[in-house]
Amino acid sequence: MNFDLNDDQRSIKATAAEFLAARFKPDHVRELAEAGSYDEGVWKEMCELGWPGIFIPEEHGGQGLGQVELVVLMEELGRVLAPSPFFSNAAAGLVIQTAGSEEQRARWLPGIASGELRGTVGEVSGDRAPLVADADSAELIVLLDGDSATVVEGPLGERVETLDSTRRFSAVEARAGEQLAGDPEPGRDRIAGALAAELVGVAQQTLDMAVDYAKQRKQFDTPIGAYQGVSHRCAQMLLEVEGARAAAYYAAWAADAEPETLALAASMAKAYASDAGWRVTASSLQVHGGIGFTWEHDLHFFLKRAKVDGHLFGTAREHRDRVAALSGLGLLTTTR
Amino acid sequence: MDLTLSPEEAAFREELRAWIEANSPGREPEGDEAAFEFRKRWQRELDAAGWAGISWPKEYGGRGASLIEQAIFNEEIVRSKAPPMANVLALAMGGPTVIAHGDEDQKERYLPPILSAEEIWCQGFSEPDSGSDLASLKTRAEKTDGGWSVTGQKVWTTFAHHAKWCMLVARTDRDVPKHKGLTYFLMDMEQDAVQVRPLVQITGESEFNELFIEDAYIPDENVVGGVGNGWMVAITTLMHERATLAFGLQVQVQIALLQLRELVIERGLENDPIVRQRIGQLTIEAEVLRLNAYRGLTQIMKTGVPGPEGSLGKWQWSEVNQSLTEAAMEIRGAEAPLLESDWAYRFLRARANSIEGGTTEILKNIVAERVLGLPRMGAK
């Protein structure tokens, strides 16, 4: 029994943190966000480091590591709010790896692992997928519709503006394509788990910002962090960040080691982290006071990323209902 | 990461499960005296099989179990719905304190009757004017010939009416800063100078007592850890027990949650979206409680000290338990106020969860100051 990252995973985390902190400094992230673009140079570096294929088997050109290692990267990417196609590409890899036939995996995974054939995943609702990350640049788009997953050629769709300008989204019309052979649900659960980890990183960063600010900012000759109205708020933020982290790591572990509990674990992680994500970032804004509400301060980018992440691949409400269903209440029957 | 038990740990759990199944004494009888005698008998059986002092070193009659084994023990005891042991405070705090800070004579004198439940212990820390600010306590011990004379008042002393010994922290020096003038004593409860008065709580029962102490005598040899060291002695042994106790608490929540889901289905509310949201949320929070208990344990095994999860666990547990009982009341609707069901009692009892063993406000202060490094309350 050991609920902690192992030495290799810790070293991946530390290396990633260092790499990302040097490349995604707040001013650079702001520049990219305001331009609505990504840093292609850093994406190339990530590809050279093998990040896109971290969870993809070696036989398909990946590093052959697991969901825990992916989640470790996602947390660090969230911490710096990296504007990057990493997530959307990984999402495509996760679905193809778990739902693709042997032939489909062999055909697509190597490109996703190397970053040469970028992918993304969209969730269809009605006749379109309203919010597909990076569909305007991906060569391969997986459309999830209920229990079917179809692969179509990209880029596709219409760019849409969302709250989160650090990530590029498009709306994509549903269309026919090549069906993936298997059940896409485990892939979707892994995506939800990866997002939960990204939310942990986003929330952790804004907690740290709030704590730093509360130590320095003085009012009535006292650091505001010495007031319980502020310090207890920060303690609450820590409670939620650590809770989200525990749930996200557990879901990642379950994906690799205990697939039968993945569905429940992933929904728990995504529901908890979706709530914690926006609550912690909003709380950090409150600690910062007026300055936190200005465009000039970086906090709003984190708040917005957290809010949008919370609505991708299942909202907290949807995942909570699934948790209720999977833990004994059964599926919701709407006709009574 | 690996959340599976090792073969040895799994074997330990199987052995324990089998033993509990074969020896579990069944339902506790009604009434304080009868229930307490029942718990004493149960503890004696556990002790005879070597389970009572699960965390204690073998040389003092314990099992010398690893932290994981202790966690498994706490989990399994709760899961089996076996009654708690009679001497819980001595097993979890008094005994470990004597083992860590007592001299050889004290170990020999006090430890065996703790394990066998022959001598029950209570804890005399809190006072009417010293709750969260424990170090401000006023009960004073004056030096007399060969011992100490103690006068003061204690409150929230669980089991005082059953106890032979009281872990008493009293002020022995009023001229030094408040944390430094305290001494940890073992006070004999069987003397007229100590009066016990039950404290009736909002549930109508009396789990706690008040102690009125007027010139009680404590011999010198009953000082534990040296005169003036009472604060350090009192707090150092609490930490590790807390981490493993968290496992029992989280299982209690899981069991209550199972009952709550049964209640939802019994009431035909499993298709009510709002009820489903609440059950889903409680399930998630209970799971986070379980996972944080594992994380806390991992942290202690690695570094020897509890991580932030340790300070968060008790706080989070109280919130989950309170909202769980609130949900049950809402689901029971118009019948919720009736005392015939256990839920009304649990709803009331849960009010104490965010006060007992450290109020949520104090826990937030601890997290803010010691984990986040924020300035102390009122700092300039």
Side-chain angles (χ1 to χ4, degrees):
Chain A
M1 210 287 301
N2 170 26
F3 197 148
D4 201 356
L5 302 175
N6 64 30
D7 289 346
D8 290 345
Q9 290 158 346
R10 252 199 304 275
S11 124
I12 291 173
K13 193 166 198 274
T15 311
E18 199 184 325
F19 174 89
L20 291 167
R23 282 150 187 86
F24 290 114
K25 296 203 168 79
D27 283 348
H28 186 46
V29 171
R30 166 178 297 266
E31 228 171 73
L32 293 168
E34 286 176 352
S37 63
Y38 293 158
D39 186 324
E40 287 300 324
V42 179
W43 169 245
K44 279 206 185 71
E45 281 187 89
M46 289 183 195
C47 294
E48 281 156 19
L49 290 169
W51 285 15
I54 190 156
F55 59 92
I56 292 173
E58 289 176 36
E59 55 174 308
H60 294 133
Q63 294 196 40
L65 298 171
Q67 179 80 3
V68 175
E69 287 78 6
L70 170 64
V71 147
V72 162
L73 289 184
M74 285 297 292
E75 184 181 341
E76 293 308 320
L77 286 156
R79 222 177 202 286
V80 298
L81 219 53
S84 164
F86 179 87
F87 162 69
S88 57
N89 184 59
L94 289 169
V95 177
I96 291 170
Q97 181 165 314
T98 50
S101 67
E102 186 50 49
E103 185 276 320
Q104 288 170 326
R105 288 204 299 264
R107 180 148 42 105
W108 288 316
L109 288 179
I112 286 172
S114 67
E116 280 156 29
L117 179 82
R118 281 237 319 274
T120 185
V121 179
E123 291 211 282
V124 176
S125 155
D127 56 1
R128 63 190 202 128
L131 214 53
V132 190
D134 309 319
D136 61 332
S137 56
E139 282 104 342
L140 180 159
I141 299 172
V142 183
L143 292 174
L144 298 180
D145 192 356
D147 51 11
S148 104
T150 320
V151 177
V152 300
E153 217 174 281
L156 274 181
E158 291 276 321
R159 270 296 298 281
V160 289
E161 300 288 333
T162 71
L163 287 175
D164 179 12
S165 54
T166 63
R167 194 168 262 155
R168 296 164 60 94
F169 289 96
S170 298
V172 174
E173 303 297 319
R175 69 195 64 212
E178 181 176 338
Q179 193 84 20
L180 288 181
D183 177 10
E185 196 172 64
R188 186 181 190 267
D189 286 336
R190 283 173 165 81
I191 297 172
L195 277 172
E198 178 171 285
L199 281 160
V200 170
V202 172
Q204 177 74 61
Q205 181 61 24
T206 59
L207 166 59
D208 292 352
M209 288 160 79
V211 169
D212 285 347
Y213 189 75
K215 287 178 187 170
Q216 276 149 32
R217 168 79 172 173
K218 284 192 172 183
Q219 287 292 276
F220 307 103
D221 298 323
T222 303
I224 59 170
Y227 297 116
Q228 289 176 321
V230 174
S231 69
H232 285 191
R233 179 183 283 282
C234 292
Q236 177 72 35
M237 291 162 76
L238 179 76
L239 179 88
E240 297 188 31
V241 169
E242 293 299 342
R245 180 172 283 123
Y249 283 14
Y250 175 65
W253 176 79
D256 292 334
E258 219 178 69
E260 66 278 12
T261 57
L262 170 62
L264 185 57
S267 275
M268 287 184 172
K270 182 60 168 56
Y272 193 98
S274 295
D275 284 338
W278 77 263
R279 277 208 298 251
V280 170
T281 51
S283 221
S284 181
L285 197 155
Q286 179 70 21
V287 169
H288 281 80
I291 189 78
F293 191 66
T294 62
W295 187 270
E296 184 192 343
H297 200 281
D298 293 324
L299 254 177
H300 66 104
F301 292 116
F302 288 87
L303 172 76
K304 292 164 177 174
R305 168 72 74 88
K307 196 64 197 150
V308 173
D309 273 5
H311 287 254
L312 298 177
F313 295 93
T315 61
R317 179 179 62 78
E318 288 158 348
H319 282 290
R320 261 196 302 276
D321 190 78
R322 186 160 176 249
V323 169
L326 292 171
S327 60
L329 295 190
L331 287 177
L332 177 66
T333 17
T334 39
T335 48
R336 273 189 258 179
Chain B
M1 292 218 353
D2 183 8
L3 298 188
T4 47
L5 296 179
S6 72
E8 295 76 31
E9 289 155 4
F12 173 84
R13 185 171 68 181
E14 287 318 306
E15 182 196 343
L16 177 59
R17 269 191 193 170
W19 188 89
I20 294 175
E21 199 165 313
N23 294 279
S24 182
R27 252 189 116 75
E28 204 166 86
E30 300 266 330
D32 181 69
E33 278 302 323
F36 201 75
E37 280 308 313
F38 184 82
R39 291 179 182 192
K40 275 185 172 176
R41 277 201 303 279
W42 170 231
Q43 184 179 331
R44 274 198 290 277
E45 282 195 51
L46 283 160
D47 183 38
W51 296 110
I54 178 91
S55 66
W56 294 21
K58 283 190 176 142
E59 51 179 314
Y60 302 120
R63 194 175 198 92
S66 70
L67 281 168
I68 291 192
E69 289 170 342
Q70 294 173 45
I72 293 171
F73 179 81
N74 287 325
E75 225 174 30
E76 291 302 321
I77 284 285
V78 174
R79 177 167 296 148
S80 71
K81 298 186 186 154
M85 288 189 269
N87 217 0
V88 282
L89 294 176
L91 289 167
M93 295 188 292
T97 303
V98 169
I99 290 170
H101 301 289
D103 58 38
E104 285 314 308
D105 289 344
Q106 290 172 331
K107 290 175 189 170
E108 204 171 306
R109 163 66 189 83
Y110 293 106
L111 297 178
I114 290 178
L115 290 171
S116 62
E118 256 166 79
E119 291 180 349
I120 302 301
W121 289 38
C122 65
Q123 185 194 45
F125 284 17
S126 297
E127 296 183 5
D129 290 332
S130 302
S132 296
D133 182 11
L134 183 62
S136 71
L137 61 85
K138 294 193 193 71
T139 293
R140 59 178 202 279
E142 308 280 356
K143 193 74 191 82
T144 61
D145 249 6
W148 300 80
S149 170
V150 179
T151 297
Q153 191 183 340
K154 294 288 177 179
V155 73
W156 308 119
T157 38
T158 317
F159 305 131
H161 54 306
H162 297 295
K164 164 70 177 169
W165 297 108
C166 177
M167 310 170 232
L168 183 90
V169 180
R171 189 161 304 283
T172 43
D173 188 344
R174 273 177 278 183
D175 300 326
V176 292
K178 62 181 181 179
H179 291 83
K180 293 186 177 152
L182 303 174
T183 298
Y184 189 107
F185 295 99
L186 300 180
M187 180 176 74
D188 191 340
M189 294 290 285
E190 292 173 0
Q191 51 181 316
D192 291 339
V194 180
Q195 292 298 317
V196 176
R197 190 181 300 165
L199 204 58
V200 183
Q201 61 212 46
I202 66 167
T203 54
E205 25 159 37
S206 301
E207 288 171 87
F208 310 104
N209 303 273
E210 292 175 289
L211 287 191
F212 297 90
I213 309 165
E214 188 78 51
D215 279 334
Y217 177 68
I218 303 180
D220 281 330
E221 62 263 30
N222 287 22
V223 169
V224 179
V227 174
N229 293 329
W231 182 256
M232 184 268 295
V233 173
I235 62 168
T236 47
T237 48
L238 298 180
M239 298 193 316
H240 287 205
E241 295 296 334
R242 269 192 197 156
T244 54
L245 282 176
F247 279 82
L249 293 179
Q250 65 88 5
V251 177
Q252 248 165 29
V253 169
Q254 304 280 1
I255 290 172
L257 200 50
L258 279 176
Q259 295 165 337
L260 185 60
R261 289 196 203 96
E262 281 166 18
L263 183 66
V264 167
I265 290 167
E266 185 189 298
R267 300 278 150 146
L269 290 171
E270 68 270 30
N271 275 320
D272 180 321
I274 293 169
V275 170
R276 291 171 69 87
Q277 287 291 308
R278 274 185 96 162
I279 297 292
Q281 185 63 24
L282 285 167
T283 304
I284 294 164
E285 286 173 17
E287 176 71 357
V288 167
L289 200 61
R290 180 179 81 96
L291 297 174
N292 276 337
Y294 279 112
R295 281 181 79 201
L297 199 60
T298 301
Q299 184 70 22
I300 292 184
M301 289 192 299
K302 287 215 164 130
T303 63
V305 287
E309 310 81 15
S311 332
L312 299 171
K314 195 262 155 178
W315 161 17
Q316 204 214 344
W317 164 75
S318 67
E319 290 195 346
V320 176
N321 206 42
Q322 287 176 349
S323 54
L324 197 152
T325 57
E326 285 152 21
M329 291 299 274
E330 195 163 315
I331 287 161
R332 282 178 49 77
E335 289 169 35
L338 297 173
L339 287 175
E340 62 177 26
S341 150
D342 197 33
W343 286 112
Y345 164 78
R346 291 203 225 176
F347 166 74
L348 289 179
R349 184 60 184 83
R351 296 298 101 203
N353 294 164
S354 47
I355 303 166
E356 54 195 342
T359 65
T360 295
E361 287 71 19
I362 286 292
L363 296 173
K364 287 181 178 177
N365 284 351
I366 292 172
V367 169
E369 290 170 18
R370 299 194 205 148
V371 182
L372 296 176
L374 286 167
R376 281 187 70 85
M377 182 177 48
K380 291 280 172 185

